[in-house]
Amino acid sequence: MIIDNYAKPMKTEITLHYKCNASCIHCYQDKNLTCSSVEECKDVERKIALAYKRGARILSLIGGETSLDPRITKFARLAKKIGYKHVLITTNALLLSDPDYVKTLVQSGIDSFKLSFHSTIPEVHDKLLQKIGAYDTLMTAINNLKNYHICLAFATVVTSLNYKDIPNIAEFVTSELKIANLTFFSCHN
């Protein structure tokens, strides 16, 4: 049976900026990129509209750390108003431990969240993000997001520090959280 890939909703991905609130040891992002790399608001709005006109129905906003950009709620509202079916952000979840912030994001139209989840061992997750408490913050963020009818996904970068934990990550995400969307990436460094 041949599957018509063109029948699927097209996704467009827009990088908003390169700022981050973590210093992941596996990050491939050039640490020397400056804030001058920030997309102008009108350019982002134009890209959102143009991609929709060309058939995109899923908008993915990425960064640096997407949740650091105060404009994401504005872009999500615009995307939903235009007609996008889904708005996704990829995030390390460090800011999603605030339930009010999560509520603001969801109410703006962000209905899909891809969270970085690098180990079931708190010390390893924290070390990979170089942020003490990152694991606990992630667990709080997951609990905050569970209160909403949203799509939740996880991304794990496989490194020499966490490769033995991969089965545990898969088990935790699929069995305990009942999430089927888990992506593993090989380390770029």
Side-chain angles (χ1 to χ4, degrees):
M1 179 171 150
I2 297 175
I3 298 172
D4 180 6
N5 286 330
Y6 295 104
K8 294 180 183 177
M10 192 172 91
K11 177 172 116 176
T12 191
E13 188 171 87
I14 299 174
T15 303
L16 298 176
H17 61 80
Y18 299 101
K19 296 179 282 186
C20 193
N21 54 353
S23 297
C24 299
I25 62 174
H26 55 267
C27 186
Y28 60 88
Q29 194 69 50
D30 182 351
K31 306 282 191 255
N32 296 318
L33 289 173
T34 65
C35 290
S36 65
S37 301
V38 173
E39 284 274 0
E40 291 297 325
C41 193
K42 288 186 190 295
D43 290 338
V44 173
E45 291 170 347
R46 183 184 53 75
K47 287 178 181 180
I48 291 170
L50 182 61
Y52 184 84
K53 184 177 178 182
R54 291 181 175 167
R57 296 300 179 262
I58 300 170
L59 173 63
S60 175
L61 299 173
I62 64 170
E65 172 50 41
T66 311
S67 66
L68 289 174
D69 193 321
R71 306 169 302 166
I72 60 172
T73 55
K74 177 181 181 177
F75 298 144
R77 282 191 296 275
L78 172 65
K80 288 295 190 164
K81 182 179 177 183
I82 290 172
Y84 278 87
K85 292 180 181 177
H86 299 286
V87 178
L88 161 76
I89 65 168
T90 300
T91 175
N92 60 29
L94 291 174
L95 296 181
L96 303 186
S97 63
D98 177 354
D100 293 330
Y101 184 57
V102 170
K103 181 178 180 181
T104 297
L105 295 176
V106 172
Q107 287 178 340
S108 75
I110 298 169
D111 58 6
S112 300
F113 295 79
K114 182 176 269 191
L115 308 182
S116 300
F117 183 27
H118 302 300
S119 182
T120 60
I121 304 163
E123 298 79 17
V124 173
H125 182 83
D126 290 1
K127 184 174 184 172
L128 287 167
L129 269 69
Q130 295 190 58
K131 203 75 153 169
I132 296 170
Y135 179 86
D136 293 335
T137 300
L138 172 65
M139 293 301 120
T140 301
I142 291 168
N143 285 326
N144 288 339
L145 289 163
K146 284 172 142 179
N147 295 321
Y148 299 96
H149 183 72
I150 52 105
C151 178
L152 189 56
F154 294 93
T156 301
V157 176
V158 181
T159 73
S160 62
L161 295 175
N162 69 351
Y163 75 95
K164 291 180 181 178
D165 195 34
I166 297 305
N168 298 328
I169 294 169
E171 177 69 20
F172 179 79
V173 169
T174 58
S175 297
E176 288 192 43
L177 297 177
K178 308 289 189 233
I179 304 292
N181 193 334
L182 174 59
T183 305
F184 293 101
F185 296 98
S186 60
C187 189
H188 296 281
N189 293 352

